């Protein structure tokens, strides 16, 4: 929104429209890999890595439109890897364990306000790591509870649902 104050409105509007359409297209699974396009541009198959929970996919393929930035700065990861043939698991770490869309969009704020303030002063929270002081991030092995490779499957509270 602040960019609209710095650039002419038609230019800003055209850019915002193109960006929205590109981000909508890049989040589909219907487009197969496009090897020639993927040398410069980000495609749905490359962007899928960005949303993966596999160890090889963490912190990879940040590009919005041009994948050459990831190639230049060492954060590029191809969709299929001969070193790791396991399928790609989507989601965040740890799993939300909820289907509530409001919680899905606000859980980061919940963590900052109620959890991180136990570890740091309230004004430091937005600028610090998400782990306690002198703590290490947990190991994210395939059998880890923090990064399960199974989908969230809530069980009904009683047998009446069966």
């Amino acid at each position: 929104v602040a960019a609209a104050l710095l650039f002419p409105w038609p230019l800003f509007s055209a850019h915002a429209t193109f960006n929205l359409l590109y981000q909508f297209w890049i989040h589909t699974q219907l487009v197969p890999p496009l090897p020639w396009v993927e040398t410069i541009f980000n495609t749905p198959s490359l962007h899928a890595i960005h949303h993966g929970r596999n160890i090889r996919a963490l912190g990879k393929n940040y590009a919005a439109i041009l994948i050459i930035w990831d190639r230049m700065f060492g954060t590029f990861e191809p969709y299929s890897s001969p070193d790791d043939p396991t399928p790609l698991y989507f989601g965040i770490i740890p799993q939300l364990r909820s289907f509530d869309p409001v919680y899905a969009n606000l859980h980061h704020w919940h963590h900052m306000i109620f959890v991180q303030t136990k570890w740091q002063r309230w004004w430091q929270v937005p600028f610090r790591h998400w782990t306690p002081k002198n703590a290490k991030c947990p190991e994210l092995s395939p059998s880890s509870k923090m990064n399960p490779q199974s989908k969230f499957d809530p069980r009904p509270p009683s047998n009446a649902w069966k």
Side-chain angles (χ1 to χ4, degrees), residues 40-135:
I40 298 174
F41 292 101
N42 201 0
T43 62
S45 61
L46 290 179
H47 190 69
I49 294 291
H50 173 73
H51 292 284
R53 291 188 292 131
N54 300 43
I55 302 301
R56 72 177 180 90
L58 297 178
K60 303 290 183 171
N61 295 7
Y62 289 108
I65 295 176
L66 299 174
I67 199 68
I68 55 172
W69 299 113
D70 287 301
R71 291 179 185 274
M72 287 182 356
F73 294 108
T75 56
F76 176 76
E77 179 72 27
Y79 185 78
S80 59
S81 173
D83 301 333
D84 186 9
T86 58
L88 194 61
Y89 295 97
F90 297 102
I92 63 171
I93 301 172
Q95 279 186 328
L96 289 181
R97 309 204 50 78
S98 171
F99 290 116
D100 182 1
V102 175
Y103 179 71
N105 284 283
L106 299 177
H107 77 280
H108 300 292
W109 288 98
H110 176 269
H111 192 277
M112 284 192 336
I113 294 169
F114 297 107
V115 178
Q116 276 188 271
T117 51
K118 295 176 186 174
W119 309 328
Q120 296 141 0
R121 295 185 179 102
W122 67 269
W123 56 271
Q124 293 176 321
V125 166
F127 309 106
R128 298 293 177 117
H129 291 284
W130 285 52
T131 54
K133 188 175 182 179
N134 299 326

